[in-house]
Amino acid sequence: MKPTAFLHLINATPWTFQQSHRHSYQMLSWTPPCTIPPFTSLRIPLTPRPELSHTADDGAEVVYTIPALSNTSASATWPSFELSYHGTRALTSPSVKVRFTNLATLGNANGTELALPWHSGENLQFLLAAPKDAAAADGVGRLVSSNPPVAWMRATYDAISCRPLRALCLPGAHDAGMSSFSGGSGLATPPNTVTQTLDLAGQLRAGARWFDLRPVIAGGAWRAGHYSFGLTTWHGGNGQRFDEMVGQINGFLSGEGRGELVVLRLQQGFNTDTFRGDKGNRLTQVEWRKLLEVLVGIKDLVVGVGKEADMTKVPLSRFIGGGRSGVIVVVDSKASDGQRVVVDAALRDKGVVTIDQFPLYDSYANTRETDTMVENQLTKMKAQRVDAGSRMFLLSWTLTQLAGNIVDAAEEVNRVLGEKLWPVLQMGRGPNIIAVDAFPAENREVAALCMAINYNFAEPC
């Protein structure tokens, strides 16, 4: 019988997890390993007995201790976490939880019980991470797990502040402004146009720090858009208003997100009020200038670095620190005259720069098949990220849906991200941006993965 689901665990610490207890009832398969070595990942099948009617009684637990984090031989006091599965009545999902004992992580106190949302047949993800050079004495206070703090960059600032952006990993939202469908054209429908389940404010709270935005003029207003040209016309739709997103960024960075860095990348750019069947439609230089003036309303734009030839070589501490937030706007598009969008010195000094100042490799797989996308992106990452000095690499963990539901496909492919990416990571050769559709709010999983990568696959500060 196929497993009902899988527990996917990542031990992103320098210590071995040792099993101290295991129990199951009415389970066809429950085989957690005796030990989980450092810097490894694994999947544990969850397979209850299907022929039994009293599924509410199904259960399984396993406890892993971390002896290296204790200075005593009394095993009962060792830091540990318990993974548990409990069946439920028909029409409701089973319960899967992680409970900490004598163990705390950033944002999660001792005794915390985390729910791992149920996804039938798919991965239920849990991660525990520490800096690769952490000694037991200082490792306890720096542990990261699933469900990290909202302000995760501020929480790990001491470990990442000295690094340039090309030595960091940032969670990213692809077509970030498309959490809604506010009118469109051609064959566009919400399922084949909407890419996100959370608006920009929700994505920020879920841990995203890199935002892919495609500006359009729609009904005279500035909105995010998602468009493509085919069959002699434009197909696509409009999402959030830019003034709304500016307000959400300001609200986040002045509140619980204080001290974080946010990067907005602007691509394409169309006037949907006039583009009709014009394949070459682009925003004019004047229209671009008007949009950038809207974005100058962001209160925490990074100032004083506009003359940098390569922003990705600048240490993070130049952008944020001491409670100081930062926003960088990267313009990556051509205007209607065929020339790169003009960003003058005044805008550059306010934190608006061009893609020439932000060297980046970004090449999506253009497929609807998960295995093909995974192979394409990991192969490109290996070829492009030859060492820590390589230009930034955007891992485009997205599927191209011509007629299907973008969000449904994205939620499935997001659940294999840790499983497929973690085993192939190497020092200085990991992704700098992990861009996904349907950016997940569940336990801030993408942020936790990026934190683990930042801890373990770049030189420490």
Side-chain angles (χ1 to χ4, degrees):
M1 176 188 175
K2 291 184 178 180
T4 304
F6 298 87
L7 278 171
H8 180 250
L9 309 181
I10 298 179
N11 177 1
T13 78
W15 312 298
T16 297
F17 300 162
Q18 295 185 7
Q19 184 186 125
S20 63
H21 169 77
R22 184 180 73 181
H23 171 263
S24 66
Y25 180 69
Q26 295 187 168
M27 299 291 288
L28 191 63
S29 174
W30 178 239
T31 57
C34 294
T35 61
I36 304 177
F39 309 116
T40 60
S41 65
L42 75 157
R43 299 170 87 205
I44 303 173
L46 286 169
T47 315
R49 293 184 181 275
E51 71 274 12
L52 298 175
S53 59
H54 300 291
T55 57
D57 297 330
D58 297 351
E61 304 90 33
V62 63
V63 176
Y64 285 101
T65 63
I66 314 175
L69 292 181
S70 177
N71 56 9
T72 175
S73 60
S75 60
T77 66
W78 288 348
S80 67
F81 60 91
E82 178 189 70
L83 301 164
S84 65
Y85 165 89
H86 295 287
T88 55
R89 300 293 180 186
L91 303 180
T92 58
S93 298
S95 169
V96 180
K97 296 180 179 180
V98 181
R99 180 166 57 88
F100 296 159
T101 301
N102 300 320
L103 178 69
T105 65
L106 294 176
N108 300 286
N110 180 26
T112 290
E113 192 171 81
L114 292 180
L116 303 186
W118 181 261
H119 301 291
S120 183
E122 299 178 351
N123 288 336
L124 318 178
Q125 305 183 71
F126 177 69
L127 172 153
L128 192 62
K132 61 181 172 58
D133 61 339
D138 66 4
V140 175
R142 302 166 71 186
L143 283 172
V144 166
S145 71
S146 301
N147 192 44
V150 170
W152 64 266
M153 299 183 84
R154 186 177 70 206
T156 56
Y157 184 77
D158 290 345
I160 62 178
S161 60
C162 69
R163 297 184 196 161
L165 295 183
R166 63 174 58 194
L168 289 175
C169 183
L170 302 177
H174 175 249
D175 270 312
M178 293 303 302
S179 60
S180 59
F181 186 87
S182 181
S185 65
L187 300 177
T189 63
N192 67 22
T193 306
V194 170
T195 60
Q196 300 293 337
T197 58
L198 305 171
D199 65 6
L200 205 78
Q203 294 166 32
L204 284 162
R205 289 203 78 257
R209 296 296 177 263
W210 172 276
F211 299 89
D212 163 38
L213 296 170
R214 320 286 176 93
V216 299
I217 298 173
W222 288 108
R223 289 187 177 272
H226 183 197
Y227 284 88
S228 61
F229 192 88
L231 301 175
T232 73
T233 191
W234 288 95
H235 306 273
N238 312 311
Q240 276 192 271
R241 291 175 60 111
F242 266 83
D243 56 358
E244 178 188 22
M245 292 188 285
V246 167
Q248 291 178 343
I249 293 168
N250 287 338
F252 178 76
L253 294 179
S254 64
E256 59 186 342
R258 185 180 300 277
E260 300 292 288
L261 176 69
V262 172
V263 184
L264 310 180
R265 180 194 186 189
L266 307 180
Q267 297 187 85
Q268 299 179 354
F270 308 118
N271 187 334
T272 71
D273 294 339
T274 62
F275 66 6
R276 296 183 179 85
D278 178 11
K279 185 177 181 180
N281 181 277
R282 294 289 185 275
L283 295 174
T284 66
Q285 294 284 1
V286 171
E287 288 168 336
W288 269 105
R289 178 69 190 209
K290 290 179 179 179
L291 170 64
L292 296 179
E293 291 296 341
V294 172
L295 293 174
V296 170
I298 297 173
K299 297 177 181 179
D300 290 293
L301 287 169
V302 173
V303 298
V305 294
K307 295 181 180 179
E308 293 286 345
D310 187 343
M311 301 281 281
T312 71
K313 292 183 178 180
V314 177
L316 182 64
S317 58
R318 288 276 301 279
F319 304 132
I320 61 173
R324 172 173 49 101
S325 307
V327 180
I328 301 170
V329 177
V330 182
V331 183
D332 182 13
S333 187
K334 291 183 179 181
S336 59
D337 59 6
Q339 303 300 308
R340 284 284 181 185
V341 174
V342 174
V343 178
D344 60 27
L347 286 172
R348 290 175 193 268
D349 194 53
K350 294 177 181 178
V352 182
V353 300
T354 65
I355 194 65
D356 295 334
Q357 296 170 270
F358 218 96
L360 173 72
Y361 183 88
D362 175 10
S363 174
Y364 72 113
N366 194 22
T367 178
R368 62 183 300 172
E369 301 297 332
T370 296
D371 291 344
T372 303
M373 181 277 291
V374 170
E375 181 181 6
N376 175 279
Q377 289 298 293
L378 297 184
T379 299
K380 288 174 179 175
M381 183 178 74
K382 182 177 180 180
Q384 294 295 322
R385 288 290 290 175
V386 297
D387 56 41
S390 302
R391 63 176 168 168
M392 292 185 74
F393 180 85
L394 186 148
L395 185 75
S396 186
W397 205 259
T398 59
L399 299 178
T400 301
Q401 299 290 317
L402 297 179
N405 188 301
I406 293 174
V407 167
D408 287 351
E411 288 177 337
E412 291 186 17
V413 78
N414 288 346
R415 293 180 194 122
V416 301
L417 173 60
E419 175 195 350
K420 301 298 184 181
L421 178 60
W422 186 261
V424 303
L425 292 171
Q426 300 179 48
M427 177 63 69
R429 301 188 65 183
N432 302 106
I433 300 141
I434 299 176
V436 301
D437 290 323
F439 195 93
E442 297 173 352
N443 292 325
R444 299 189 185 91
E445 292 169 354
V446 181
L449 179 60
C450 287
M451 294 168 80
I453 293 172
N454 289 336
Y455 265 172
N456 291 294
F457 294 99
E459 292 302 321
C461 289

